[in-house]
């Protein structure tokens, strides 16, 4: 018995000697949670996540509009994008931490030369 979770799936795909079994597992893995799944739950309309995805996308769109953004991508990026000020602070922090080691290395090179 195995599942389509990555550890089980990869073990079967890599080590099963039966080509038909490997293909069956491969096709099941690719079509999991989709309308193309061959499982009994998919045949009953329970395996297809497309309606859930549509609902999630609609809610994300609504959230973005409520927050004054044109799209959910803008909401997501607003949390992740660095401003110029933050980028300069990061570069200065890196420079300050790296400078002492660079000065020591330069002194060593000069002493060696």
């Amino acid at each position: 018995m195995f599942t389509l979770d990555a550890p089980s799936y990869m073990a079967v795909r890599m080590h099963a000697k039966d080509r038909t079994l490997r293909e069956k597992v491969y096709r099941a893995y690719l079509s999991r949670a989709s309308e193309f799944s061959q499982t009994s739950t998919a045949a009953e309309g329970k395996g297809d996540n497309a309606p859930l995805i549509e609902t999630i996308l609609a809610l994300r769109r609504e959230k973005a509009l409520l927050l004054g953004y044109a799209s959910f991508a803008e909401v997501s990026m607003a949390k992740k994008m660095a401003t110029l000020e933050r980028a300069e602070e990061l570069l200065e922090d890196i420079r300050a931490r790296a400078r002492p080691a660079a000065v020591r290395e330069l002194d060593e090179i000069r002493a060696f030369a």
Side-chain angles (χ1 to χ4, degrees), residues 88-103:
E88 288 175 345
E89 287 173 8
L90 175 63
L91 289 173
E92 178 55 30
D93 182 50
I94 292 170
R95 187 204 62 75
R97 291 172 189 243
R99 184 166 173 72
V103 169

Side-chain angles (χ1 to χ4, degrees), residues 30-83:
L30 288 182
S31 63
R32 66 196 185 285
S34 78
E35 71 269 22
F36 302 110
S37 178
Q38 300 296 315
T39 65
S40 61
T41 57
E44 298 163 3
K46 296 179 183 173
D48 183 7
N49 280 342
L52 290 173
I53 293 169
E54 290 297 326
T55 300
I56 291 167
L57 291 174
L59 290 171
R60 285 180 170 184
R61 195 174 310 114
E62 181 181 349
K63 177 181 179 178
L65 294 174
L66 288 171
L67 293 173
Y69 293 96
S71 70
F72 184 76
E74 287 184 9
V75 174
S76 179
M77 293 304 289
K79 292 185 253 180
K80 298 172 187 167
M81 292 296 290
T83 63

Side-chain angles (χ1 to χ4, degrees), residues 18-31:
D18 184 347
R19 183 173 195 252
T20 305
L21 174 63
R22 289 194 318 269
E23 181 180 358
K24 186 175 182 179
V25 169
Y26 172 73
R27 290 185 184 279
Y29 185 79
L30 288 182
S31 63

